[in-house]
Amino acid sequence: VLNNYALMQFFKQKREELHRMSALNATQTKKMLAEMELRRESELNKSDVKSPTYTKDLLDQKMEELRMFKESKRSSVKITATRAHLAEVEKQLELGKRSAAGEVTSTRTRDLLDKKLEELRMLKESKASSVTITATRAQLAEVEKQLELEKRSAAGEATSTRTRDLLDRKLEELRLMKVATSAAATSTKTRDALVKVMRDIDVERDKLAKCQTLAEYQKQQALLQKMKEANALRGDTDVAFMLDCTGSMSSYIKAAKEHIKDIVDEIRNRYRCQVRVSFVGYRDHCDGQRRIETLDFKEDVNVFKIFLDAVVADGGGDTCEDVFGGLEAAINLSWSGRNKCLIHIGDAPPHGGRFHDLGSGADGDYSLNDSDRRGLRIEDLIQKIKGLGIDYTFGRINNSTDKMLRVFDDLGGSGFSRCSDLADVKNFPFVAIESISATIECNWKDMSGALLPKPKFSRYSAVTDVSQKSLKSFLIAKSQPRWNKVKTQPVKITQCEVSDGNKLRLAYKYRSASVKMSQHPFAEGSQRISYFGIEIGNSWFSKLDSKASVVLKTFKYVYADEVGDGRDDFINIVESQAIANYFAKEFNKVKPSVAKSIHFLDVKLVQAEAQDGSPVYYTIEDIFKDYDSEFKKFNSNFGFVNSVDFTLTLNAFSHWTYDHTKHYLMVVDLQGILDKERYVLTDPAIHCKELRFGSTNLGKVGMVTFFEAHECNKVCALMGLKSNRYMKDGTPNLDLAS
């Protein structure tokens, strides 16, 4: 009994030891698996190279892309599916593992098999670099050796023949995978070859883009040169001054006579074209033969002045005048120039309650709305003006003519009349010059836009196709609104600056803001209109009638098919201003002491939201002080040099940008104010040998045109600027002020 009891205690003790060993083995197994998982994740995180098989496939793909770029032949590409094979091996290994787990009876065999299969999976998934490829092959050999030993161990412990067959099959798959890995895994040399192929592809892409850009640029320049030559041969500009010649208009008749020579000389110098001028004076029906006085187009301004000497400001019956008769006489002039401009100046509307609100007491023909007493209809007159291609500008003296202009625009289309403020007769020459300039520049852009295609491969457009455009509906209002009644609107602002001057690389910054903007624009140029505005949070704003601190500008034309007036057109303006300001800062560093400094306003892109949720774009910049009286245009992008307000500094600056960039670009179209000893400028144009900077970039043709009108001065001489063979005279003029 004692022996039996001792034996039972012995077996009980052994059973407890067996349970403890089993629990310990399970804990060690879990710990080992966790360590293997951590090692696998660590290997994956350390790896920064694509899998060898992926590298081989990518090399094949890039080699094929390079061949397609060089030969321009499309063909199908067949790439071996090594990754699919590896995925299949992984799947079979997982199935084998599960099968072995069910059949191998030895805990040690099963744990070791799991460990080795996990190592095999980690090796397969690891993205080995060129340094670890040799180590990988060594590890594969070690795994192969250990599995062979495991196979032998399993043969002694497992009674299932199927288990041994499974191990044999997995060992064979390991060998095949090793071969495939050895074939696919490439050395550093192969990867370097892949990098070279990808670099060659980028080079080929750049060559292709440059060839296309160069071809488009050359085509553009050839067309611009032909247009320039045609404009010189048939570039006449016809300007007709149509004035109310009743008693209240004597000062305007006198201004026309006194300033006509300066106006014509300015246009001839600015655009290198011939100018013909004519005059139409109208009064009222009661004035008999003196109702209409006409001088047809003449090139000699002295003939124009002699004619005006005989024109006397008198006549007129009631308040309204025979405007229809004046328009009829203007239509019957001998218009023949490429550019046709009619400048109408008057302080009274035509007859008929349709055109004014003065009442019957001021108009003897107040009830005549469809036609005047001679049977003339305004619909017919406006259609004839449009049919002749005449650009109509009205010099507004008072508000009695506002209703007339609205009717004209309703019949002629939005913006049929260009309205300029002429309440002060001193503005007469300025209004005349700007009106004629707008006509010429718009016609030039229309012709260039219709002839020059927009590049499809670049976000930059050298020209904008404006063959299908219409003027937006707007009314010029010089006075600022009461800002406390103007709604604040949220906007997104994009700012641009030059980050690398050598390569002209640009960097952008973005922020949100709020602005107030006037309902009506206060000024217009040949392409854009300007609104008063206040940027909330960026300027002091507390009084109810605070003055505007910024100007918001947008294009005044609406283009068909969303060509123009889009974000890229505004980005071109912002980028041009940023680059111009960069060169201004560089110029200020090296300029001689006799030259004034130059600064361009910081212009940003503003994205607002229309009522339908669509984006609306503007540019925003600080407002000029004394804008009306001080703002001047000093040169243009097509050869104009302001001879009245000539500046050595700015004309030398345009020349300097050409030399400084080794003839790559030129900053022109300089306009702004002189603030003490500093020019503050905005809205420049940049001529460039690439298709950048928008429609005002006329490339080499624009640069040549600048030099044809440029005379080097003492600033040019002091800066050592080179003379150009297109200059009229390369000798610097040293007698002018800066």
Side-chain angles (χ1 to χ4, degrees):
V1 173
L2 288 175
N3 288 338
N4 289 337
Y5 177 80
L7 185 61
M8 290 174 63
Q9 291 296 326
F10 175 78
F11 280 119
K12 181 179 180 181
Q13 180 181 357
K14 292 301 179 182
R15 278 198 299 271
E16 291 176 353
E17 289 177 358
L18 181 60
H19 286 312
R20 285 196 300 270
M21 290 178 64
S22 298
L24 179 62
N25 287 339
T27 302
Q28 291 177 344
T29 300
K30 290 180 181 179
K31 183 178 180 181
M32 185 181 300
L33 289 174
E35 290 177 351
M36 286 192 296
E37 182 64 20
L38 289 175
R39 286 174 56 193
R40 184 182 69 82
E41 292 179 355
S42 177
E43 287 295 325
L44 288 176
N45 291 335
K46 290 180 181 179
S47 175
D48 60 352
V49 182
K50 298 290 184 181
S51 69
T53 304
Y54 178 85
T55 303
K56 180 176 182 301
D57 291 346
L58 186 58
L59 177 59
D60 292 341
Q61 179 184 352
K62 296 304 178 183
M63 288 292 291
E64 181 63 20
E65 288 183 12
L66 178 61
R67 185 182 68 78
M68 291 169 66
F69 266 100
K70 291 182 177 179
E71 299 179 3
S72 300
K73 294 181 180 180
R74 300 286 184 180
S75 62
S76 60
V77 181
K78 297 183 179 180
I79 302 175
T80 57
T82 306
R83 286 174 294 181
H85 171 70
L86 290 176
E88 183 64 26
V89 170
E90 179 183 14
K91 181 178 179 180
Q92 293 180 0
L93 282 173
E94 185 65 23
L95 293 174
K97 175 183 174 182
R98 295 174 182 176
S99 177
E103 294 183 351
V104 179
T105 58
S106 170
T107 301
R108 178 174 174 274
T109 301
R110 191 163 54 251
D111 292 345
L112 188 57
L113 178 60
D114 289 345
K115 177 181 177 181
K116 297 307 176 184
L117 288 176
E118 178 64 19
E119 290 178 356
L120 177 61
R121 185 173 65 83
M122 290 171 61
L123 287 170
K124 179 178 70 66
E125 292 180 352
S126 175
K127 301 177 181 178
S129 63
S130 58
V131 180
T132 60
I133 287 177
T134 303
T136 300
R137 286 197 293 267
Q139 285 180 318
L140 287 172
E142 181 65 21
V143 170
E144 178 185 44
K145 180 178 179 181
Q146 292 181 2
L147 280 178
E148 180 65 27
L149 294 174
E150 185 61 28
K151 174 188 172 184
R152 295 173 183 175
S153 175
E157 295 181 356
T159 58
S160 172
T161 303
R162 183 178 178 185
T163 301
R164 287 193 297 271
D165 292 341
L166 178 62
L167 290 175
D168 288 337
R169 186 165 65 253
K170 296 307 174 186
L171 186 61
E172 178 64 16
E173 288 178 0
L174 175 63
R175 185 185 66 79
L176 293 174
M177 192 187 75
K178 177 182 175 182
V179 173
T181 303
S182 299
T186 57
S187 64
T188 303
K189 181 178 179 181
T190 305
R191 278 191 297 277
D192 290 343
L194 175 61
V195 172
K196 183 178 182 300
V197 169
M198 297 174 70
R199 189 183 300 118
D200 290 343
I201 290 174
D202 292 337
V203 170
E204 291 298 320
R205 280 201 188 98
D206 291 341
K207 287 181 179 179
L208 178 61
K210 288 180 180 179
C211 288
Q212 290 175 323
T213 304
L214 180 61
E216 290 294 334
Y217 177 80
Q218 292 173 342
K219 183 178 180 181
Q220 178 220 52
Q221 293 298 293
L223 287 171
L224 283 173
Q225 184 61 34
K226 289 180 180 179
M227 292 168 60
K228 180 182 175 182
E229 294 170 356
N231 193 61
L233 294 174
R234 187 176 170 269
D236 293 343
T237 298
D238 291 343
V239 182
F241 291 90
M242 174 180 153
L243 270 69
D244 178 347
C245 291
T246 55
S248 59
M249 295 292 293
S250 60
S251 61
Y252 292 90
I253 298 173
K254 181 181 178 181
K257 181 174 64 176
E258 291 179 349
H259 294 291
I260 188 61
K261 186 178 186 303
D262 292 337
I263 293 170
V264 170
D265 288 346
E266 179 73 13
I267 296 301
R268 285 173 176 169
N269 292 333
R270 183 180 291 197
Y271 298 105
R272 298 293 187 270
C273 64
Q274 296 299 317
V275 180
R276 304 192 308 159
V277 293
S278 67
F279 183 85
V280 173
Y282 66 91
R283 296 180 177 85
D284 206 353
H285 297 289
C286 62
D287 292 307
Q289 293 182 350
R290 298 178 64 252
R291 178 179 63 87
I292 302 293
E293 294 185 83
T294 302
L295 172 69
D296 209 349
F297 290 107
K298 304 294 180 182
E299 290 187 11
D300 189 349
V301 295
N302 291 320
V303 176
F304 184 91
K305 294 172 69 175
I306 292 172
F307 181 84
L308 286 189
D309 284 338
V311 176
V312 179
D314 61 2
D318 50 19
T319 303
C320 299
E321 311 297 353
D322 185 17
V323 176
F324 287 11
L327 291 174
E328 179 188 36
I331 291 169
N332 292 331
L333 295 171
S334 57
W335 298 92
S336 63
R338 180 187 298 273
N339 309 300
K340 304 177 180 69
C341 182
L342 173 60
I343 301 175
H344 175 196
I345 303 171
D347 62 354
H351 291 282
R354 179 183 180 187
F355 304 99
H356 64 82
D357 296 319
L358 301 178
S360 58
D363 183 2
D365 295 334
Y366 184 75
S367 61
L368 297 178
N369 287 320
D370 295 331
S371 64
D372 71 354
R373 64 174 62 183
R374 296 175 54 244
L376 295 177
R377 301 175 66 250
I378 189 59
E379 290 83 359
D380 298 333
L381 295 172
I382 287 180
Q383 287 305 313
K384 288 179 180 179
I385 291 174
K386 293 180 65 177
L388 289 171
I390 298 172
D391 202 8
Y392 175 80
T393 297
F394 182 73
R396 180 181 179 274
I397 298 175
N398 57 51
N399 61 6
S400 68
T401 54
D402 290 350
K403 188 174 182 180
M404 174 194 76
L405 289 177
R406 289 195 295 270
V407 174
F408 285 8
D409 280 341
D410 288 341
L411 297 176
S414 177
F416 165 78
S417 61
R418 180 185 292 115
C419 181
S420 298
D421 186 9
L422 258 183
D424 188 346
V425 70
K426 294 179 181 179
N427 292 332
F428 184 95
F430 174 78
V431 169
I433 290 171
E434 291 305 309
S435 298
I436 301 169
S437 298
T439 297
I440 295 173
E441 292 179 10
C442 285
N443 287 344
W444 172 264
K445 286 182 172 63
D446 286 354
M447 290 185 294
S448 63
L451 290 175
L452 301 178
K454 189 172 183 178
K456 297 180 179 179
F457 52 86
S458 173
R459 65 176 286 249
Y460 299 104
S461 171
V463 292
T464 302
D465 184 356
V466 295
S467 57
Q468 299 294 329
K469 69 176 184 180
S470 59
L471 199 61
K472 295 178 181 177
S473 178
F474 60 85
L475 175 66
I476 299 297
K478 292 288 186 180
S479 60
Q480 295 190 27
R482 293 183 63 86
W483 291 108
N484 62 318
K485 297 183 178 180
V486 178
K487 182 180 178 181
T488 300
Q489 54 181 320
V491 297
K492 297 178 181 178
I493 294 181
T494 302
Q495 188 170 358
C496 174
E497 61 183 19
V498 176
S499 60
D500 184 347
N502 294 327
K503 297 182 180 179
L504 292 183
R505 291 178 177 171
L506 301 169
Y508 297 89
K509 296 179 180 178
Y510 308 92
R511 62 183 174 87
S512 298
S514 297
V515 299
K516 289 176 176 261
M517 188 175 73
S518 59
Q519 181 181 1
H520 303 291
F522 68 90
E524 67 170 313
S526 61
Q527 294 296 314
R528 295 197 290 165
I529 48 180
S530 303
Y531 295 82
F532 289 120
I534 291 178
E535 183 180 349
I536 308 300
N538 199 41
S539 61
W540 182 78
F541 177 69
S542 60
K543 295 183 179 180
L544 296 180
D545 293 323
S546 294
K547 293 184 178 180
S549 59
V550 295
V551 176
L552 293 100
K553 300 179 181 179
T554 188
F555 293 103
K556 66 179 185 179
Y557 291 103
V558 178
Y559 297 89
D561 301 327
E562 298 183 352
V563 177
D565 207 5
R567 188 175 187 276
D568 280 355
D569 297 280
F570 289 89
I571 283 292
N572 283 333
I573 295 172
V574 173
E575 290 179 346
S576 296
Q577 192 107 346
I579 290 175
N581 197 34
Y582 167 79
F583 284 117
K585 293 177 181 178
E586 295 298 309
F587 175 85
N588 293 338
K589 295 176 183 177
V590 299
K591 71 177 181 64
S593 58
V594 297
K596 295 179 174 62
S597 62
I598 302 173
H599 171 71
F600 284 88
L601 292 179
D602 182 21
V603 174
K604 301 175 282 291
L605 171 66
V606 170
Q607 178 179 327
E609 190 173 281
Q611 291 182 350
D612 61 357
S614 61
V616 180
Y617 299 102
Y618 302 88
T619 58
I620 187 171
E621 62 192 59
D622 291 338
I623 195 169
F624 283 114
K625 64 177 183 179
D626 301 326
Y627 178 88
D628 290 332
S629 59
E630 298 295 333
F631 189 89
K632 297 174 183 177
K633 191 179 186 75
F634 300 103
N635 67 27
S636 74
N637 69 328
F638 202 63
F640 160 69
V641 176
N642 190 331
S643 57
V644 178
D645 298 297
F646 185 77
T647 163
L648 301 184
T649 299
L650 296 184
N651 287 286
F653 171 70
S654 294
H655 188 171
W656 176 83
T657 57
Y658 177 79
D659 281 9
H660 183 69
T661 60
K662 299 179 180 179
H663 309 172
Y664 174 70
L665 60 76
M666 174 188 287
V667 181
V668 291
D669 205 10
L670 305 179
Q671 51 198 315
I673 63 172
L674 176 59
D675 182 21
K676 297 179 180 179
E677 292 299 312
R678 182 180 73 157
Y679 288 104
V680 183
L681 308 176
T682 189
D683 293 340
I686 297 180
H687 296 322
C688 181
K689 290 187 175 180
E690 292 183 5
L691 296 180
R692 299 178 62 181
F693 308 120
S695 61
T696 54
N697 172 18
L698 302 182
K700 184 178 179 181
V701 171
M703 298 177 189
V704 169
T705 304
F706 168 83
F707 283 119
E708 288 175 346
H710 178 65
E711 295 182 12
C712 274
N713 54 62
K714 63 182 179 182
V715 177
C716 297
L718 290 172
M719 299 189 74
L721 302 181
K722 299 176 182 178
S723 62
N724 189 284
R725 64 189 178 96
Y726 297 104
M727 294 180 187
K728 293 183 296 185
D729 181 8
T731 304
N733 187 336
L734 305 180
D735 299 326
L736 299 175
S738 60

